[in-house]
Amino acid sequence: MNILVSQEIASVCPGFVGAAVDARVVNTPFCTELWQEIHALEDRLRQELSTESLKEQPGIAATRRVYKVCGKDPSRYRPASEQLIRRMLQGKELYQIDTLVDLVNLASIAFGYSIGGFDADKFVGDTLTLGIGREGEPYEGIGRGPLNIAGLPVYRDAKGGVGTPTSDHERTKMTLATTHLVVLINGYDGNRERVVANAEFIQGLLRKYCQSDGGTITVYTSNP
C-alpha cells in the first residue's frame, strides 16, 4: 500500500510520524504464550500508572491534543491505546478476540500508540490517505456500530474510511481467515525512533506467534 499524509493532518500535527508493518501471517483463535506476555505487561503497568497519569504518556497525550485541535473530545472518543490501558488499570480483563487482534492490542499497550490492524486484502485500491473525518461521513466502528468520525484522524482507501485512533472499520477488520496483515502505528508525538521500535516489536510478535517472517516496515510522515 501507498500511504499518504494529507495537508489536513500536517496542519494540525506537522511532526506526525507513522509506520506500517506489512506481513503475511497465520491467525489462530488463541495463543497461550502471547497471553502470558499480555498479563506480564498488565502487572507492570498497574504498578507504574494510574488512570490520570496515563493521559500524560507521550503517545496518548499527543493524540489527545490532536483530537482537541480537530474539535473532538478525547475523553468521549478515547484513543484506542488509552481505552485499553485504562481497562487494565481498572482491574478489568482485556477482551480476547484472536491472536492477531490480541497481538496488536499488546503492541498498542506496550508503547502507548493507537494502532490499527487490517486485513489488507479487504482494502479497495492501492493507496491509503490519512485525513480528518467530516460531518455525516459514514463509518461503522468494530463492535460499536455507526461512529461519528467528524474531527477524528481517519485513514481512507478508495471506498472510504478504514481506521481511526478510536476504532477501526468493520469492513477491513482482521478475522481468523486473514493472511495479509497491515498494521498502522500513529505517532502524533513525532518520535520516529519510538514509532519504529513499536513496528519492530510487532515484527517480533508476528515471528513468534503468527508463523510470519515479520514482513516489512514503511515509515511515513507529514513532512516527507
Side-chain angles (χ1 to χ4, degrees):
M1 297 297 295
N2 303 307
I3 305 176
L4 307 176
V5 180
S6 71
Q7 187 55 43
E8 285 181 314
I9 293 294
S11 66
V12 298
C13 188
F16 174 85
V17 177
V21 179
D22 188 317
R24 294 290 173 177
V25 296
V26 175
N27 199 5
T28 54
F30 181 79
C31 177
T32 300
E33 293 80 7
L34 173 61
W35 273 91
Q36 289 172 346
E37 284 202 45
I38 292 171
H39 290 316
L41 183 59
E42 283 178 335
D43 292 341
R44 179 168 66 81
L45 292 183
R46 284 173 181 153
Q47 295 176 14
E48 296 177 354
L49 295 174
S50 69
T51 54
E52 285 305 309
S53 67
L54 167 63
K55 298 176 185 177
E56 300 166 8
Q57 295 300 298
I60 292 171
T63 306
R64 290 175 65 91
R65 282 196 298 272
V66 169
Y67 275 33
K68 289 177 181 177
V69 172
C70 293
K72 209 68 170 175
D73 180 356
S75 293
R76 183 178 179 190
Y77 294 86
R78 295 187 192 278
S81 54
E82 183 182 350
Q83 295 175 40
L84 290 167
I85 300 173
R86 276 180 63 88
R87 185 173 181 83
M88 288 171 38
L89 296 179
Q90 291 169 344
K92 300 175 183 176
E93 290 290 328
L94 292 183
Y95 298 109
Q96 190 277 314
I97 307 299
D98 58 47
T99 298
L100 283 179
V101 174
D102 301 341
L103 182 154
V104 169
N105 286 344
L106 170 59
S108 181
I109 292 165
F111 283 79
Y113 291 124
S114 289
I115 299 176
F118 306 91
D119 186 325
D121 291 337
K122 297 177 181 177
F123 289 141
V124 177
D126 62 0
T127 301
L128 296 175
T129 302
L130 178 59
I132 297 175
R134 299 181 287 265
E135 287 293 343
E137 183 171 359
Y139 192 93
E140 186 178 359
I142 296 175
R144 300 172 69 112
L147 182 66
N148 176 10
I149 64 168
L152 286 179
V154 57
Y155 288 94
R156 299 182 181 96
D157 65 5
K159 186 173 181 179
V162 298
T164 75
T166 290
S167 176
D168 294 330
H169 197 288
E170 282 280 354
R171 174 167 62 89
T172 49
K173 73 179 181 182
M174 302 175 291
T175 69
L176 286 174
T178 297
T179 58
H180 184 189
L181 173 72
V182 165
V183 179
L184 303 178
I185 303 164
N186 296 287
Y188 289 96
D189 61 352
N191 190 332
R192 185 187 183 101
E193 182 178 349
R194 187 165 173 79
V195 167
V196 171
N198 199 167
E200 291 171 343
F201 179 72
I202 290 169
Q203 285 186 308
L205 294 176
L206 292 175
R207 293 185 186 107
K208 284 193 287 185
Y209 304 127
C210 297
Q211 300 179 42
S212 175
D213 66 2
T216 60
I217 296 173
T218 303
V219 176
Y220 51 99
T221 71
S222 53
N223 290 298

